[in-house]
Amino acid sequence: DAKTTQPPSMDCAEGRAANLPCNHSTISGNEYVYWYRQIHSQGPQYIIHGLKNNETNEMASLIITEDRKSSTLILPHATLRDTAVYYCIVRVGGSSNTGKLIFGQGTTLQVKP
Amino acid sequence: EAQVTQNPRYLITVTGKKLTVTCSQNMNHEYMSWYRQDPGLGLRQIYYSMNVEVTDKGDVPEGYKVSRKEKRNFPLILESPSPNQTSLYFCASSYYGQPQHFGDGTRLSIL
């Protein structure tokens, strides 16, 4: 699975959009970009994933560049409860893989009042 | 409500005393996995299971056992726990290739 690079920390004002970048320059054509977050020491929570196209769900939007070498997770209106460590993970899709998720150090997002 | 349930949530025990951490999911997922999380090392996979009676080692399986006799349950067994197994443990489940759902974690302290 391709390696990802994320900034170690970011701040965001409550109510503003939080934009979390991720670089994955060695991504392969069959690898998806996944985002999870971990609030304090709770279990990681799935947010969103995508292959090529931009994706949006009730939690966030995922913007993937055309060359797929980087992506941005957007939380449109950050709240204090969005303070967490955000992990960008690249992995092969489909049923043949071991399902292993390689969590790096992630980005610690601090949402401030 | 769809969930992955781990028990116990917290446990303090002593070296060598066998223990089992249970994991149960109610989503009929084929895939289940155990991770441990340690400061500076992130989450690392211990064992995983692709279906009933099918288990395989992850990156850090030493000192652990698992079993998958039923689809919903995937217990983690520490036959002879040691202090280096003090950690935060997470169970996860999913359909094949789909995003994983994680439990709330089990914090183990082995003295």
Side-chain angles (χ1 to χ4, degrees):
Chain A
D1 295 328
K3 181 179 165 59
T4 62
T5 304
Q6 300 176 252
S9 63
M10 293 182 64
D11 290 343
C12 177
E14 188 178 19
R16 305 297 293 267
N19 297 280
L20 292 91
C22 180
N23 286 321
H24 31 77
S25 58
T26 60
I27 193 169
S28 301
N30 63 347
E31 289 182 314
Y32 289 72
V33 180
Y34 283 78
W35 284 84
Y36 284 77
R37 72 181 182 184
Q38 187 174 25
I39 297 172
H40 195 45
S41 292
Q42 297 177 21
Q45 177 189 24
Y46 164 77
I47 302 173
I48 198 167
H49 74 286
L51 182 63
K52 294 182 194 177
N53 301 321
N54 298 338
E55 301 288 344
T56 295
N57 63 21
E58 65 278 3
M59 289 183 69
S61 295
L62 174 61
I63 309 297
I64 302 175
T65 58
E66 193 167 341
D67 63 8
R68 303 211 320 123
K69 292 185 177 182
S70 65
S71 60
T72 301
L73 177 74
I74 301 172
L75 307 178
H77 306 286
T79 70
L80 298 178
R81 287 177 294 180
D82 291 320
T83 292
V85 180
Y86 288 77
Y87 297 99
C88 169
I89 298 165
V90 170
R91 59 170 285 210
V92 175
S95 60
S96 61
N97 63 64
T98 65
K100 179 172 64 178
L101 298 173
I102 300 176
F103 289 80
Q105 297 304 308
T107 296
T108 298
L109 175 68
Q110 182 74 46
V111 180
K112 298 187 173 180
Chain B
E1 181 191 347
Q3 57 187 359
V4 178
T5 304
Q6 296 179 227
N7 280 297
R9 294 290 315 281
Y10 304 91
L11 179 63
I12 301 174
T13 187
V14 295
T15 299
K17 186 176 181 183
K18 180 180 178 179
L19 67 91
T20 299
V21 184
T22 63
C23 174
S24 180
Q25 51 94 3
N26 62 359
M27 295 165 279
N28 204 37
H29 288 160
E30 302 95 354
Y31 178 88
M32 297 185 76
S33 180
W34 277 102
Y35 295 84
R36 61 178 287 175
Q37 185 172 28
D38 302 289
L41 297 176
L43 280 92
R44 295 176 292 167
Q45 191 182 53
I46 304 171
Y47 267 95
Y48 65 96
S49 169
M50 301 290 266
N51 215 325
V52 176
E53 302 291 0
V54 181
T55 64
D56 211 342
K57 297 177 181 178
D59 293 327
V60 288
E62 294 78 19
Y64 305 95
K65 286 175 58 176
V66 292
S67 68
R68 187 92 183 272
K69 294 185 171 61
E70 306 165 281
K71 200 170 189 179
R72 64 183 293 127
N73 296 323
F74 190 46
L76 180 70
I77 303 156
L78 286 71
E79 294 268 5
S80 183
S82 63
N84 65 11
Q85 293 177 297
T86 291
S87 188
L88 179 57
Y89 291 84
F90 291 104
C91 180
S93 74
S94 73
Y95 295 114
Y96 290 138
Q98 294 300 306
Q100 293 179 26
H101 298 253
F102 284 80
D104 288 332
T106 295
R107 191 171 289 280
L108 281 184
S109 293
I110 299 164
L111 307 176

